[in-house]
């Protein structure tokens, strides 16, 4: 196909439009749209994406050409189309750059975690001396499951825990609830589908679902315990004995048997400070990304509603 067209996904990511400016060979699941010579393909691709086409289906959702042809679009003059497309493209470039920055910092943090927990990199004491050797422990030696139940605010369920160690979100729908009690400094982890990597270091008191494990530190720094749990190595260990295929759950006994090497508390605090500082940078970058995404959303609403 020649350029100056846009394609719309018919299967899979249904309704996703991409402007095409060069020769290409469309695959079967792509619908090819060729505007007239007086239209801008970038403008119409953005408008189709904003429409968020939804196809109801009992099987695999599929968008057909007749269905796509019924989508109503706005068609300003070509100069206005180009101005709108150029503005949205500029915002998209900023969003892409910000996404790359977030990904780069995430990669750096993961690399630092691997080096710190493998002891490839060690901190020094404040007086310049070496810290003691790390001690062999199990997770059960340094923390315990919180089992006390209560009713209260700040209810945490698996639904309001964010994947990839993104923390939690609170709103009116989960303000109060009955469940396991947690306190500031406890680490919460969703025990359903552990591979989703849902963990949170509590900064307040509240209750949580029985599908959420509460790790209460007994002989470890709270922040260090969180970084142990919010790691790919911990998730792999939990998944190695998880039960169930569709909705796997971690085995509580197996989890507490996880072997680990534990630094003394002064070194734990230094590791926590280091990783927390990196995390603060990532949060700032994500917040900046969210601002640009919200700006684009507002622009689209003003232009296409």
């Amino acid at each position: 196909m020649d350029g100056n067209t846009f394609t719309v996904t018919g299967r899979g990511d249904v309704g996703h439009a991409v402007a095409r400016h060069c020769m290409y060979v469309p695959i079967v699941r792509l619908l090819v749209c060729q505007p007239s010579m007086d239209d801008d393909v970038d403008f119409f691709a953005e408008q189709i994406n904003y429409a968020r086409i939804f196809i109801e289906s009992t099987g695999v959702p599929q968008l057909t050409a007749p269905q796509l042809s019924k989508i109503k679009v706005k068609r300003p003059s070509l100069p206005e189309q180009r101005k709108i497309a150029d503005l949205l493209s500029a915002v998209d470039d900023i969003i892409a750059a910000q996404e790359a920055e977030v990904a780069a910092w995430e990669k750096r943090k993961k690399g630092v975690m691997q080096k710190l927990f493998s002891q490839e990199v060690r901190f020094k004491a404040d007086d310049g001396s070496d810290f003691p050797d790390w001690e062999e422990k199990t997770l059960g030696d340094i923390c315990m499951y919180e089992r006390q139940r209560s009713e209260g605010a700040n209810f945490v369920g698996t639904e309001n825990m964010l994947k990839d160690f993104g923390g939690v979100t609170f709103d009116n729908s989960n303000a109060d609830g009955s469940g396991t009690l947690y306190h500031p400094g406890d680490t919460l982890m969703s025990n359903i589908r552990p591979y989703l990597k849902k963990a949170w270091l509590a900064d307040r008191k509240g209750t949580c679902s029985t599908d959420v494990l509460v790790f209460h530190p007994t002989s470890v720094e709270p922040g260090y315990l969180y970084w142990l749990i919010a790691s790919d190595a911990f998730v792999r260990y939990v998944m190695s004995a998880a039960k169930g295929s569709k909705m796997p759950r971690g085995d509580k006994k197996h989890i507490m048997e996880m072997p680990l090497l534990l630094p003394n508390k002064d070194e734990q605090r230094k590791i926590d400070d280091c990783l927390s500082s990196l995390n603060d940078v990532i949060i700032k970058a994500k917040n900046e990304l969210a601002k640009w995404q919200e700006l684009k959303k507002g622009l689209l609403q003003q232009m296409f509603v």
Side-chain angles (χ1 to χ4, degrees):
M1 292 292 299
D2 292 331
N4 199 38
T5 61
F6 65 92
T7 58
V8 182
T9 308
R11 290 183 182 178
D13 187 12
V14 173
H16 179 66
V18 176
R20 309 285 180 175
H21 298 284
C22 57
M23 296 283 290
Y24 67 97
V25 178
I27 59 178
V28 176
R29 64 188 178 90
L30 288 180
L31 302 175
V32 179
C33 304
Q34 179 139 25
S36 69
M37 294 299 291
D38 295 329
D39 287 314
D40 185 282
V41 293
D42 293 281
F43 171 81
F44 281 98
E46 287 282 5
Q47 195 169 175
I48 292 297
N49 285 331
Y50 177 73
R52 295 185 179 276
I53 299 170
F54 175 75
I55 303 297
E56 291 189 8
S57 173
T58 56
V60 178
Q62 180 173 338
L63 175 67
T64 64
Q67 289 171 319
L68 180 60
S69 68
K70 294 178 181 178
I71 302 298
K72 293 183 179 180
V73 295
K74 294 186 176 181
R75 187 172 180 249
S77 66
L78 181 59
E80 187 175 357
Q81 288 180 31
R82 287 176 174 166
K83 286 182 179 180
I84 292 172
D86 288 346
L87 173 60
L88 294 176
S89 178
V91 175
D92 281 339
D93 289 344
I94 295 172
I95 289 174
Q98 195 63 32
E99 287 174 337
E101 182 178 342
V102 170
W105 278 109
E106 291 276 16
K107 185 177 180 180
R108 290 187 192 107
K109 187 183 80 173
K110 186 175 290 189
V112 170
M113 288 180 71
Q114 289 174 343
K115 290 184 177 182
L116 289 174
F117 287 128
S118 68
Q119 300 184 65
E120 182 181 340
V121 173
R122 293 284 304 273
F123 286 103
K124 296 282 189 180
D126 290 340
D127 61 5
S129 62
D130 292 333
F131 281 118
D133 291 340
W134 292 18
E135 298 180 3
E136 292 185 1
K137 300 282 186 180
T138 66
L139 190 63
D141 292 330
I142 63 173
C143 67
M144 59 180 285
Y145 290 128
E146 179 59 68
R147 302 185 187 278
Q148 184 179 352
R149 295 182 61 80
S150 180
E151 286 199 22
N154 304 318
F155 184 78
V156 175
T158 59
E159 299 81 6
N160 64 314
M161 298 190 77
L162 305 177
K163 66 179 182 178
D164 296 324
F165 309 125
V168 298
T169 57
F170 291 104
D171 56 35
N172 292 333
S173 65
N174 48 43
D176 299 297
S178 174
T180 306
L181 189 65
Y182 67 82
H183 298 85
D186 289 342
T187 292
L188 280 62
M189 185 198 83
S190 172
N191 199 34
I192 294 181
R193 295 189 291 177
Y195 57 82
L196 292 178
K197 304 177 183 178
K198 294 183 176 183
W200 176 56
L201 176 60
D203 60 2
R204 66 197 74 183
K205 183 179 179 180
T207 58
C208 65
S209 162
T210 53
D211 292 323
V212 175
L213 300 180
V214 179
F215 297 90
H216 179 72
T218 54
S219 57
V220 63
E221 288 295 306
Y224 185 82
L225 175 62
Y226 168 75
W227 291 115
L228 278 177
I229 291 172
S231 67
D232 290 340
F234 179 78
V235 173
R236 285 194 299 269
Y237 177 83
V238 173
M239 286 302 300
S240 69
K243 300 174 182 178
S245 54
K246 292 184 178 180
M247 299 283 282
R249 294 171 181 264
D251 183 287
K252 294 182 181 180
K253 182 174 182 294
H254 174 76
I255 290 173
M256 283 301 185
E257 292 172 347
M258 186 183 83
L260 55 88
L261 292 172
L262 187 72
N264 74 0
K265 288 198 172 185
D266 287 336
E267 192 170 3
Q268 289 175 34
R269 281 189 284 268
K270 285 183 178 290
I271 291 172
D272 177 32
D273 289 344
C274 172
L275 296 177
S276 294
S277 295
L278 281 172
N279 209 48
D280 288 343
V281 174
I282 292 170
I283 290 172
K284 184 178 179 181
K286 285 183 175 179
N287 289 339
E288 186 68 18
L289 172 60
K291 289 179 183 178
W292 283 104
Q293 291 171 330
E294 193 63 26
L295 172 63
K296 183 180 178 182
K297 182 179 177 181
L299 290 172
L300 290 170
Q301 287 176 339
Q302 293 178 39
M303 295 170 182
F304 297 141
V305 172

CSV table of all heavy atoms in Angstrom, one decimal, residues 34-58:
chain,number,residue,atom,x,y,z
A,34,GLN,N,-8.3,5.2,3.4
A,34,GLN,CA,-7.6,6.1,2.5
A,34,GLN,C,-8.5,7.4,2.4
A,34,GLN,O,-9.5,7.4,1.7
A,34,GLN,CB,-7.3,5.5,1.2
A,34,GLN,CG,-6.6,6.5,0.2
A,34,GLN,CD,-5.5,5.9,-0.6
A,34,GLN,OE1,-5.6,4.7,-0.8
A,34,GLN,NE2,-4.6,6.7,-1.0
A,35,PRO,N,-8.2,8.5,3.1
A,35,PRO,CA,-8.9,9.7,3.0
A,35,PRO,C,-8.8,10.3,1.6
A,35,PRO,O,-7.9,9.9,0.9
A,35,PRO,CB,-8.4,10.6,4.1
A,35,PRO,CG,-7.5,9.7,5.0
A,35,PRO,CD,-7.1,8.6,4.1
A,36,SER,N,-9.6,11.3,1.4
A,36,SER,CA,-9.4,12.0,0.1
A,36,SER,C,-8.1,12.9,0.2
A,36,SER,O,-7.5,13.0,1.2
A,36,SER,CB,-10.6,12.9,-0.1
A,36,SER,OG,-10.6,14.0,0.8
A,37,MET,N,-7.8,13.4,-0.9
A,37,MET,CA,-6.5,14.2,-1.0
A,37,MET,C,-6.6,15.5,-0.1
A,37,MET,O,-5.6,16.1,0.2
A,37,MET,CB,-6.3,14.7,-2.5
A,37,MET,CG,-6.0,13.5,-3.4
A,37,MET,SD,-4.5,12.6,-2.9
A,37,MET,CE,-3.3,13.9,-3.3
A,38,ASP,N,-7.8,15.9,0.3
A,38,ASP,CA,-7.9,17.1,1.1
A,38,ASP,C,-8.0,16.8,2.6
A,38,ASP,O,-8.5,17.6,3.4
A,38,ASP,CB,-9.2,17.8,0.7
A,38,ASP,CG,-9.1,18.3,-0.7
A,38,ASP,OD1,-8.0,18.7,-1.1
A,38,ASP,OD2,-10.2,18.4,-1.4
A,39,ASP,N,-7.5,15.6,3.0
A,39,ASP,CA,-7.6,15.2,4.4
A,39,ASP,C,-6.2,14.8,5.0
A,39,ASP,O,-5.4,14.3,4.2
A,39,ASP,CB,-8.6,14.1,4.7
A,39,ASP,CG,-10.0,14.6,4.6
A,39,ASP,OD1,-10.3,15.6,5.1
A,39,ASP,OD2,-10.8,13.9,3.9
A,40,ASP,N,-6.0,15.0,6.3
A,40,ASP,CA,-4.7,14.6,6.9
A,40,ASP,C,-4.9,13.3,7.7
A,40,ASP,O,-5.8,13.2,8.6
A,40,ASP,CB,-4.4,15.7,7.9
A,40,ASP,CG,-3.0,15.5,8.5
A,40,ASP,OD1,-2.9,14.7,9.5
A,40,ASP,OD2,-2.0,16.2,8.1
A,41,VAL,N,-4.1,12.3,7.3
A,41,VAL,CA,-4.2,11.0,7.9
A,41,VAL,C,-3.9,11.0,9.4
A,41,VAL,O,-4.5,10.2,10.2
A,41,VAL,CB,-3.4,9.9,7.2
A,41,VAL,CG1,-3.9,9.7,5.8
A,41,VAL,CG2,-1.9,10.3,7.2
A,42,ASP,N,-3.0,11.8,9.9
A,42,ASP,CA,-2.7,11.9,11.3
A,42,ASP,C,-3.9,12.4,12.1
A,42,ASP,O,-4.2,11.9,13.2
A,42,ASP,CB,-1.5,12.8,11.5
A,42,ASP,CG,-0.2,12.2,10.9
A,42,ASP,OD1,0.4,11.3,11.6
A,42,ASP,OD2,0.2,12.6,9.8
A,43,PHE,N,-4.6,13.4,11.5
A,43,PHE,CA,-5.7,13.9,12.2
A,43,PHE,C,-6.8,12.9,12.4
A,43,PHE,O,-7.4,12.7,13.5
A,43,PHE,CB,-6.3,15.1,11.4
A,43,PHE,CG,-7.6,15.6,11.9
A,43,PHE,CD1,-7.7,16.5,12.9
A,43,PHE,CD2,-8.8,15.2,11.3
A,43,PHE,CE1,-8.9,16.9,13.4
A,43,PHE,CE2,-10.0,15.6,11.7
A,43,PHE,CZ,-10.1,16.5,12.8
A,44,PHE,N,-7.1,12.1,11.3
A,44,PHE,CA,-8.1,11.1,11.4
A,44,PHE,C,-7.7,9.9,12.3
A,44,PHE,O,-8.6,9.3,13.0
A,44,PHE,CB,-8.6,10.6,10.0
A,44,PHE,CG,-9.5,11.6,9.4
A,44,PHE,CD1,-9.0,12.6,8.5
A,44,PHE,CD2,-10.8,11.7,9.7
A,44,PHE,CE1,-9.9,13.5,7.9
A,44,PHE,CE2,-11.7,12.6,9.2
A,44,PHE,CZ,-11.2,13.5,8.2
A,45,ALA,N,-6.5,9.5,12.3
A,45,ALA,CA,-6.0,8.4,13.2
A,45,ALA,C,-6.2,8.8,14.6
A,45,ALA,O,-6.6,8.0,15.4
A,45,ALA,CB,-4.5,8.1,12.9
A,46,GLU,N,-5.8,10.1,15.0
A,46,GLU,CA,-6.0,10.5,16.3
A,46,GLU,C,-7.5,10.5,16.7
A,46,GLU,O,-7.9,10.2,17.8
A,46,GLU,CB,-5.5,12.0,16.5
A,46,GLU,CG,-4.0,12.1,16.5
A,46,GLU,CD,-3.3,11.6,17.8
A,46,GLU,OE1,-4.1,11.2,18.7
A,46,GLU,OE2,-2.1,11.8,17.9
A,47,GLN,N,-8.4,10.9,15.8
A,47,GLN,CA,-9.8,11.0,16.1
A,47,GLN,C,-10.4,9.6,16.3
A,47,GLN,O,-11.2,9.4,17.1
A,47,GLN,CB,-10.5,11.7,14.9
A,47,GLN,CG,-11.9,12.2,15.3
A,47,GLN,CD,-12.5,13.1,14.3
A,47,GLN,OE1,-13.7,13.5,14.4
A,47,GLN,NE2,-11.8,13.5,13.3
A,48,ILE,N,-9.9,8.6,15.5
A,48,ILE,CA,-10.4,7.3,15.6
A,48,ILE,C,-10.0,6.7,17.0
A,48,ILE,O,-10.7,6.1,17.7
A,48,ILE,CB,-9.9,6.4,14.5
A,48,ILE,CG1,-10.6,6.8,13.2
A,48,ILE,CG2,-10.2,4.9,14.8
A,48,ILE,CD1,-12.1,6.6,13.2
A,49,ASN,N,-8.7,7.0,17.4
A,49,ASN,CA,-8.2,6.5,18.7
A,49,ASN,C,-9.0,7.2,19.8
A,49,ASN,O,-9.3,6.5,20.8
A,49,ASN,CB,-6.7,6.9,18.8
A,49,ASN,CG,-5.9,5.9,18.0
A,49,ASN,OD1,-6.3,4.8,17.8
A,49,ASN,ND2,-4.7,6.4,17.6
A,50,TYR,N,-9.4,8.4,19.7
A,50,TYR,CA,-10.2,9.1,20.7
A,50,TYR,C,-11.6,8.5,20.8
A,50,TYR,O,-12.1,8.4,21.9
A,50,TYR,CB,-10.3,10.6,20.4
A,50,TYR,CG,-11.1,11.3,21.4
A,50,TYR,CD1,-10.7,11.5,22.7
A,50,TYR,CD2,-12.4,11.7,21.1
A,50,TYR,CE1,-11.4,12.2,23.7
A,50,TYR,CE2,-13.2,12.3,22.1
A,50,TYR,CZ,-12.7,12.6,23.3
A,50,TYR,OH,-13.5,13.2,24.3
A,51,ALA,N,-12.1,8.0,19.7
A,51,ALA,CA,-13.4,7.4,19.7
A,51,ALA,C,-13.5,6.1,20.6
A,51,ALA,O,-14.6,5.8,21.1
A,51,ALA,CB,-13.9,7.0,18.3
A,52,ARG,N,-12.4,5.5,20.8
A,52,ARG,CA,-12.3,4.3,21.7
A,52,ARG,C,-13.4,3.3,21.3
A,52,ARG,O,-14.4,3.0,22.0
A,52,ARG,CB,-12.4,4.6,23.2
A,52,ARG,CG,-11.3,5.4,23.7
A,52,ARG,CD,-11.4,5.7,25.2
A,52,ARG,NE,-10.2,6.4,25.7
A,52,ARG,CZ,-9.0,5.9,26.0
A,52,ARG,NH1,-8.9,4.6,25.9
A,52,ARG,NH2,-8.1,6.7,26.4
A,53,ILE,N,-13.3,2.7,20.1
A,53,ILE,CA,-14.3,1.8,19.6
A,53,ILE,C,-14.4,0.6,20.4
A,53,ILE,O,-13.4,-0.1,20.8
A,53,ILE,CB,-13.9,1.4,18.1
A,53,ILE,CG1,-13.9,2.7,17.2
A,53,ILE,CG2,-14.9,0.4,17.6
A,53,ILE,CD1,-13.3,2.5,15.9
A,54,PHE,N,-15.6,0.2,20.8
A,54,PHE,CA,-15.8,-1.0,21.6
A,54,PHE,C,-16.8,-1.9,20.9
A,54,PHE,O,-17.8,-1.5,20.4
A,54,PHE,CB,-16.5,-0.6,23.0
A,54,PHE,CG,-16.8,-1.8,23.8
A,54,PHE,CD1,-15.9,-2.5,24.5
A,54,PHE,CD2,-18.2,-2.2,23.9
A,54,PHE,CE1,-16.2,-3.6,25.2
A,54,PHE,CE2,-18.5,-3.3,24.7
A,54,PHE,CZ,-17.5,-4.0,25.4
A,55,ILE,N,-16.4,-3.2,20.8
A,55,ILE,CA,-17.2,-4.2,20.1
A,55,ILE,C,-17.6,-5.2,21.1
A,55,ILE,O,-16.8,-5.9,21.7
A,55,ILE,CB,-16.4,-4.8,18.9
A,55,ILE,CG1,-15.8,-3.8,17.9
A,55,ILE,CG2,-17.2,-5.9,18.2
A,55,ILE,CD1,-16.9,-3.0,17.2
A,56,GLU,N,-18.9,-5.4,21.2
A,56,GLU,CA,-19.5,-6.4,22.1
A,56,GLU,C,-19.4,-7.7,21.3
A,56,GLU,O,-19.8,-7.8,20.2
A,56,GLU,CB,-20.9,-6.1,22.5
A,56,GLU,CG,-21.0,-4.9,23.4
A,56,GLU,CD,-22.5,-4.8,24.0
A,56,GLU,OE1,-23.3,-5.7,23.7
A,56,GLU,OE2,-22.7,-3.8,24.6
A,57,SER,N,-18.9,-8.7,22.0
A,57,SER,CA,-18.8,-10.1,21.4
A,57,SER,C,-18.7,-11.1,22.5
A,57,SER,O,-18.1,-10.9,23.5
A,57,SER,CB,-17.6,-10.1,20.5
A,57,SER,OG,-17.3,-11.4,20.0
A,58,THR,N,-19.3,-12.3,22.2
A,58,THR,CA,-19.2,-13.4,23.1
A,58,THR,C,-17.9,-14.2,22.8
A,58,THR,O,-17.4,-15.0,23.6
A,58,THR,CB,-20.4,-14.4,22.9
A,58,THR,OG1,-20.5,-14.8,21.6
A,58,THR,CG2,-21.6,-13.7,23.4
